Amino acid sequence: MSIVVTGATGHLGRHVVAQLLEKVPADQVTAVVRDRDRAADLAARGVRLAVADYNSPATFDGLFAAGDRVLLISGNEFDKGRVQQHRVVIDAAKAAGVALLAYTSAPSSLTAALADDHRATEEVLVGSGVPYVLLRNGWYHENYTEQLAPVLEHGAVVQAAGEGRVSSAARADYAAAAVAVLTGEGHENTAYELGGDEAWSFAEYAAELSRQTGKEIAYRPVSVEDYVGILTGAGLPEPLAAVFAGVDAAIAKGELVVSTGDLSRLAGRPATPLAEAIRAALKA
């Protein structure tokens, strides 16, 4: 039996593998990667590597074994048919007879286009007969704290989210929830709605940035259409810009407020506060 993590060299995947190694021997962890060289550090720690690509179904043949516990981290190639990519993994897991397949989805409250692939993947997984866990991850702090340079340069947080609030948390928090499911018992055929302990607004985000930097950072709300223009002007393809702007529109409607407490319960600790994430990003 192995705990298998797909997308293991991605931002979330690396957190999951690192936290797994705190709980189980390295030879019980398999990291699924597309580029073996990018995972050299994981191999050096004793993690088993498997090279496979969501876009090449044959690469998953024989990758899983009966009794494995699998974390399917959703793909980020929006233009390559993510549902079919995920189906490749689910089909391989079913054929192998894995004990559990956990999937990183999106909150059920999110109706933006970003959630469409997640809802469709959930249908495939639930209908497959494979014991599943739906990890419906909310937004990440890092979606904002890793983009601080233009905010600090222009002295403004620009979003199309109005007065909406976000229950974001750190990637490490969501990884802790995934690890709890992969190493624990009694999670089969369950959906968890995951988000931070406290929701915040972008006006509050700007105020916290001002407090920590000593600079005046304002929140400047814009329309969804204007935000698409800003994102495309920054180099994002228009379809992807529309997806991200759609998330802001969903935030304005309260769709990324998650108040279940599932994340901190699974992680066994409070979720990382936004202020702490900002502090860490500014130090970096």
Side-chain angles (χ1 to χ4, degrees):
M1 188 275 286
S2 184
I3 296 177
V4 186
V5 180
T6 73
T9 53
H11 290 304
L12 179 61
R14 283 193 172 277
H15 278 290
V16 172
V17 172
Q19 293 186 41
L20 278 172
L21 293 179
E22 296 174 1
K23 292 197 168 189
V24 299
D27 62 3
Q28 291 183 16
V29 179
T30 298
V32 181
V33 300
R34 286 193 291 190
D35 183 346
R36 184 178 293 273
D37 291 341
R38 285 188 61 197
D41 60 316
L42 302 181
R45 297 186 67 182
V47 173
R48 293 186 288 184
L49 301 184
V51 178
D53 189 324
Y54 294 157
N55 299 303
S56 302
T59 61
F60 280 90
D61 289 347
L63 192 154
F64 303 124
D68 281 353
R69 295 183 174 199
V70 180
L71 176 63
L72 169 54
I73 295 180
S74 58
N76 59 6
E77 297 174 312
F78 295 91
D79 59 339
K80 292 189 177 180
R82 292 200 297 169
V83 179
Q84 181 53 39
Q85 289 180 330
H86 301 157
R87 187 189 296 271
V88 165
V89 180
I90 294 167
D91 287 348
K94 180 178 181 178
V98 305
L100 186 73
L101 194 155
Y103 170 66
T104 60
S105 190
S108 59
S109 54
L110 184 64
T111 64
L114 180 72
D116 292 347
D117 288 348
H118 291 303
R119 296 289 90 83
T121 299
E122 287 187 5
E123 289 184 14
V124 173
L125 177 53
V126 172
S128 71
V130 174
Y132 67 86
V133 179
L134 304 178
L135 297 168
R136 291 174 172 158
N137 289 357
W139 225 219
Y140 299 157
H141 291 329
E142 290 89 346
N143 291 341
Y144 304 109
T145 60
E146 290 180 350
Q147 312 296 327
L148 284 180
V151 172
L152 299 179
E153 179 184 351
H154 298 291
V157 172
V158 180
Q159 301 286 157
E163 297 179 4
R165 305 181 75 80
V166 185
S167 300
S168 64
R171 287 194 188 106
D173 299 329
Y174 293 109
V179 168
V181 163
L182 293 169
T183 60
E185 301 296 336
H187 300 288
E188 293 83 355
N189 304 331
T190 302
Y192 293 109
E193 303 285 344
L194 305 175
D197 297 331
E198 294 187 19
W200 50 270
S201 69
F202 285 98
E204 291 168 346
Y205 176 54
E208 182 62 26
L209 283 172
S210 299
R211 187 184 71 81
Q212 292 199 28
T213 63
K215 301 177 182 179
E216 187 169 340
I217 309 292
Y219 172 42
R220 184 159 65 88
V222 297
S223 69
V224 169
E225 293 74 20
D226 286 347
Y227 193 49
V228 170
I230 291 168
L231 294 177
T232 55
L236 274 186
E238 187 165 347
L240 191 56
V243 167
F244 288 135
V247 171
D248 267 27
I251 290 172
K253 293 186 287 185
E255 294 182 6
L256 276 177
V257 173
V258 180
S259 55
T260 62
D262 284 352
L263 180 58
S264 55
R265 276 196 297 271
L266 282 174
R269 56 169 172 75
T272 306
L274 177 65
E276 185 177 320
I278 290 172
R279 192 174 302 113
L282 291 172
K283 284 181 180 177

